[in-house]
Amino acid sequence: MVKTSDEMKNLVEEFIKVTKINYEDQTDKVKEKSNLIEWQFRVGTNVIVSKNANRADRIHLNVNMRFPPEDAKLLVMKNPSFSKAVMDISEICTICNVGHQWVKDKENIAGLAIFSHVDEQILDRISFHDTWDNVARVTAHIQKILRSNFSGFSGQANSDETTEKSMYG
């Protein structure tokens, strides 16, 4: 059965409440800036669950990894460790069927977004949490890849309960 945007939003909010992780409905804030997002929740410090206006058939789960300036200095294409990390991250994202996008601030890499989606026709608590767990596992694995490729890489901005644990404990 086809779900409306409001039905999806209400379901997602109930699925988030189950986790007991603090969340904020950011729909009004987002709508002030853009018409591209119908609704959005920020969960914990770095998880965004949203419904894009141009996609009636799915919701998006996105983990935003932001890098502190001392880490961002390491993430340059001329650094062979970074080239290796890029390949390793691309491979793990492909294998796990999640998307990723490097976030730039001018010429510097400021972060990495890891994302997936749940189709509205299969949106239930299990499919939502399975997708969230998959994105969280990939994010944790990417943090390990970055730390193993760069000595002293902190990744502190990402040591949050929203990506460090399963949705069920």
Side-chain angles (χ1 to χ4, degrees):
M1 187 171 128
V2 176
K3 294 174 185 68
T4 67
S5 178
D6 285 338
E7 288 173 325
M8 287 188 275
K9 181 180 181 186
N10 292 333
L11 281 172
V12 165
E13 187 165 19
E14 291 303 313
F15 302 155
I16 293 169
K17 285 179 182 177
V18 167
T19 67
K20 306 251 189 284
I21 297 173
N22 291 332
Y23 72 95
E24 175 188 1
D25 183 343
Q26 294 186 322
T27 303
D28 293 336
K29 286 182 193 178
V30 171
K31 284 200 177 266
E32 288 175 9
K33 297 177 183 175
S34 171
N35 292 341
L36 299 176
I37 306 290
E38 283 188 37
W39 51 262
Q40 177 173 298
F41 293 106
R42 179 178 202 87
V43 187
T45 59
N46 56 359
V47 175
I48 301 291
V49 181
S50 62
K51 164 81 177 56
N52 290 356
N54 66 345
R55 292 303 303 252
D57 62 336
R58 63 176 58 169
I59 60 145
H60 297 270
L61 287 110
N62 185 2
V63 173
N64 292 317
M65 299 168 58
R66 289 287 182 184
F67 305 127
E70 62 272 13
D71 288 349
K73 288 182 211 171
L74 301 169
L75 307 176
V76 293
M77 289 313 274
K78 63 183 178 187
N79 182 344
S81 294
F82 181 59
S83 295
K84 181 181 181 313
V86 166
M87 295 302 292
D88 291 346
I89 289 167
S90 181
E91 181 179 19
I92 191 69
C93 288
T94 300
I95 290 168
C96 296
N97 199 27
V98 299
H100 69 288
Q101 181 174 0
W102 294 95
V103 179
K104 290 186 111 181
D105 180 15
K106 297 176 185 153
E107 294 302 312
N108 300 322
I109 293 179
L112 179 62
I114 309 299
F115 52 88
S116 192
H117 70 272
V118 181
D119 290 336
E120 56 87 15
Q121 290 191 349
I122 62 167
L123 179 60
D124 60 21
R125 191 168 66 94
I126 293 170
S127 62
F128 176 79
H129 289 295
D130 282 351
T131 301
W132 188 333
D133 280 347
N134 191 39
V135 170
R137 277 190 298 273
V138 170
T139 301
H141 193 74
I142 287 170
Q143 289 171 346
K144 289 177 187 168
I145 289 170
L146 291 170
R147 287 184 187 122
S148 70
N149 280 291
F150 304 102
S151 61
F153 193 87
S154 68
Q156 290 173 342
N158 302 305
S159 60
D160 177 74
E161 66 180 355
T162 55
T163 58
E164 291 291 324
K165 69 175 191 174
S166 164
M167 296 313 304
Y168 298 105

